[in-house]
Amino acid sequence: MLILGIESSCDETAAAVVEDGRRIVSNVIATSVEEQALYGGVVPEIASRRHIESVSAVAQKALADAGVRAEDLDAVAATFAPGLIGAVLVGLNFAKGLSLSSGKPLVGVHHLRGHIAALYLTHPELKPPFLCLVVSGGHSHIVQVDDYTRFRVLGRTVDDAAGEAFDKVARTLGLGYPGGPAISKAAKEGNPHAYSLPVPHVEGPYNVSFSGLKTAVLNAVNQAQMKGEELNAADMAASFEWRIDEILANKLLAAAKDTGAKILCLAGGVAANGLLRRLVEQGAAKLGIRVYLPDPALCGDNAAMIASQGYYEFTAGHVADLSLNGMATLPIDYI
Ligand code: KG4
Ligand code: ZN
């Protein structure tokens, strides 16, 4: 079964063809990240405008690279929530037009479900149930994946998402956007124990909070400035990366222990973080739990993951009609 996926929820305009939810036939991504970096973060209107300029060409290239025509598809899947609403609507409306003109069914895909599906593209043998930490620019969830289309949220951030925290701290340290890769790069030259950053207190056993961590970095930068001292950005990047990854890994491992999980996974843009991957692998090895990590190239936003999840939604009978609307927010267990 061939599914075309369309993704446009943030600054990537992406289209991909995936076979049976598992095999990438083509995968095309255009991004406005360089333009967004000029502003230190994603400007929603710029993202929407770039999507509208490139979505047709990106989708056509995905079909051409796959050597198929719209008639050969079994369905058209698109991210319909959550995301920057103006951005989501561009890809979703394009998918609606294609569905209407080709007569192929339309499937709406939840973006975070898509991030989890990147694991199916990386590991053909992986099947639910498993426990997954989904960490992106907009979300940080510990999710019990009961089945391909059944999810339970065990914990979440009560303030900033993990990726957002990386982006904000990188901006404070003058390291540029996107913050995650910039912090990791700077951290390689730094000492993770140079600064002792707090573990913010939070209610709920598997919830996380990052705003106190972000404020602690900001305070250290301001204090150094007031004293006329130079803060060592590499040491701070390393200390921050260490602390946030330790918090995330410890929460995930605690949830795994308590729920008796046999398989642990990471998903989302922050799942590309090397230290987080190592901490989870090491902790899980001690508990005798198997770990599956997504291919780093599939951690960030892409349409192959949307086509993969689209296959599972489609085979579960979750077909949309042309009245499907986009949503800026929607829980992962909406259905
Ligand atoms: O999943 P994603 O591509 O987009 C959203 O759905 O939000 O995640 C983007 C986020 C950004 O905040 C970016 O800084 C972060 O993922 N990120 C990383 C790394 N690569 C990307 N964070 C930590 N370490 C990385 N290597
Ligand atoms: Zn994403």
Side-chain angles (χ1 to χ4, degrees):
M1 196 175 279
L2 284 180
I3 311 270
L4 174 72
I6 307 275
E7 156 63 34
S8 70
S9 67
C10 192
D11 54 352
E12 274 82 26
T13 319
V17 176
V18 168
E19 188 181 22
D20 295 336
R22 297 277 177 168
R23 190 176 78 82
I24 299 177
V25 189
S26 67
N27 191 14
V28 181
I29 305 180
T31 174
S32 59
V33 69
E34 282 176 22
E35 191 178 358
Q36 308 286 0
L38 295 174
Y39 307 98
V42 178
V43 180
E45 182 178 342
I46 294 178
S48 305
R49 289 182 181 279
R50 296 301 161 263
H51 289 317
I52 223 157
E53 284 166 1
S54 46
V55 68
S56 305
V58 167
Q60 275 167 23
K61 181 156 171 31
L63 291 174
D65 286 359
V68 299
R69 292 164 307 160
E71 300 90 281
D72 304 320
L73 299 170
D74 291 280
V76 179
T79 301
F80 76 107
L84 301 172
I85 192 60
V88 167
L89 291 176
V90 175
L92 175 59
N93 221 30
F94 180 87
K96 282 187 178 187
L98 191 60
S99 164
L100 181 66
S101 61
S102 63
K104 301 298 173 181
L106 175 71
V107 179
V109 174
H110 189 286
H111 183 76
L112 294 186
R113 293 186 178 196
H115 273 301
I116 293 171
L119 288 153
Y120 306 137
L121 296 169
T122 311
H123 304 284
E125 73 283 14
L126 176 64
K127 292 190 180 100
F130 54 84
L131 193 65
C132 188
L133 172 68
V134 189
V135 268
S136 70
H139 298 85
S140 299
H141 285 356
I142 293 177
V143 181
Q144 173 66 44
V145 182
D146 289 323
D147 206 342
Y148 294 102
T149 59
R150 274 197 302 128
F151 305 82
R152 273 180 295 150
V153 178
L154 304 187
R156 66 177 74 237
T157 177
V158 298
D159 40 57
D160 292 349
E164 198 180 351
F166 269 98
D167 293 340
K168 286 179 178 169
V169 167
R171 197 204 278 229
T172 304
L173 297 176
L175 297 174
Y177 177 84
I183 295 249
S184 286
K185 191 164 165 237
K188 287 204 171 66
E189 314 296 325
N191 170 9
H193 307 295
Y195 295 95
S196 174
L197 295 171
V199 178
H201 173 76
V202 60
E203 302 283 328
Y206 314 123
N207 287 344
V208 288
S209 161
F210 299 125
S211 74
L213 200 49
K214 180 188 68 187
T215 310
V217 175
L218 190 63
N219 287 345
V221 169
N222 288 342
Q223 271 168 21
Q225 257 170 10
M226 278 189 314
K227 288 187 201 154
E229 291 170 8
E230 186 88 11
L231 181 124
N232 185 318
D235 280 350
M236 185 53 97
S239 303
F240 168 75
E241 185 180 48
W242 174 260
R243 180 59 86 215
I244 190 167
D245 284 351
E246 192 190 36
I247 294 171
L248 288 167
N250 284 348
K251 289 281 170 164
L252 179 64
L253 292 164
K257 225 169 141 179
D258 295 349
T259 59
K262 301 207 165 40
I263 301 174
L264 269 188
C265 298
L266 293 179
V270 184
N273 187 276
L275 177 62
L276 178 62
R277 293 166 81 100
R278 279 198 301 284
L279 290 176
V280 169
E281 277 183 325
Q282 286 163 4
K286 282 192 197 135
L287 295 172
I289 301 174
R290 187 116 201 233
V291 174
Y292 287 91
L293 302 174
D295 178 345
L298 295 173
C299 288
D301 290 347
N302 65 84
M305 68 187 200
I306 301 304
S308 171
Q309 185 60 24
Y311 168 82
Y312 291 107
E313 300 292 349
F314 184 55
T315 50
H318 301 165
V319 175
D321 63 32
L322 292 177
S323 68
L324 177 65
N325 209 340
M327 272 168 271
T329 58
L330 183 72
I332 194 169
D333 54 356
Y334 66 97
I335 193 177

